[in-house]
Amino acid sequence: MKMVLAAVRPEKLDVIKKALEEKGFVAMSIFEMTGRGEQKGILLEYRGEDVAVDTLPKIMLMMVVNHNDVDSVISIIRASGRTGHIGDGKIFVLPVEKMARVRTDETW
């Protein structure tokens, strides 16, 4: 099993979720977060003055999938989350040593 963590643009969440669901990937956790990358924030105007916003809102998707499905999940997230601009996000893949279901005491 692998954990896929994807930090993506908030406005792309519904498109990404729909694309994943269409391919059978429905289980995920979704977190609101802020972050910064290459764009290093943005410059906004507030009451006539420039204000630097250092971190931007992002959405973190967390999914645990079979190791054979990792490349498919990454491809779906990339295709549906891409705008072509800096700040589209990052995807991380981590090993999962063990999973346990609280309700049934199953362990994988």
Side-chain angles (χ1 to χ4, degrees):
M1 302 295 278
K2 299 286 185 176
M3 179 180 292
V4 178
L5 296 171
V8 298
R9 293 177 180 270
E11 63 269 21
K12 288 295 196 169
L13 176 60
D14 289 336
V15 176
I16 293 169
K17 277 192 337 186
K18 183 178 179 184
L20 287 165
E21 288 172 6
E22 286 174 357
K23 297 295 183 178
F25 301 107
V26 295
M28 67 185 75
S29 295
I30 300 168
F31 305 93
E32 293 182 10
M33 58 177 272
T34 61
R36 63 180 269 181
E38 291 181 34
Q39 81 272 25
K40 299 177 187 163
I42 58 174
L43 199 60
L44 299 175
E45 188 173 320
Y46 179 73
R47 294 188 179 185
E49 292 189 27
D50 289 337
V51 177
V53 178
D54 192 43
T55 59
L56 299 174
K58 298 288 181 188
I59 296 292
M60 178 69 73
L61 299 176
M62 181 176 73
M63 304 173 67
V64 176
V65 299
N66 187 303
H67 68 277
N68 295 328
D69 293 327
V70 170
D71 290 335
S72 295
V73 169
I74 289 172
S75 294
I76 294 165
I77 294 170
R78 278 180 168 166
S80 56
R82 180 180 295 128
T83 68
H85 299 286
I86 291 175
D88 279 350
K90 296 279 189 294
I91 302 171
F92 307 94
V93 179
L94 306 162
V96 175
E97 292 183 26
K98 185 185 270 191
M99 283 180 26
R101 182 171 282 143
V102 174
R103 178 176 49 91
T104 63
D105 290 334
E106 292 174 87
T107 304
W108 296 263

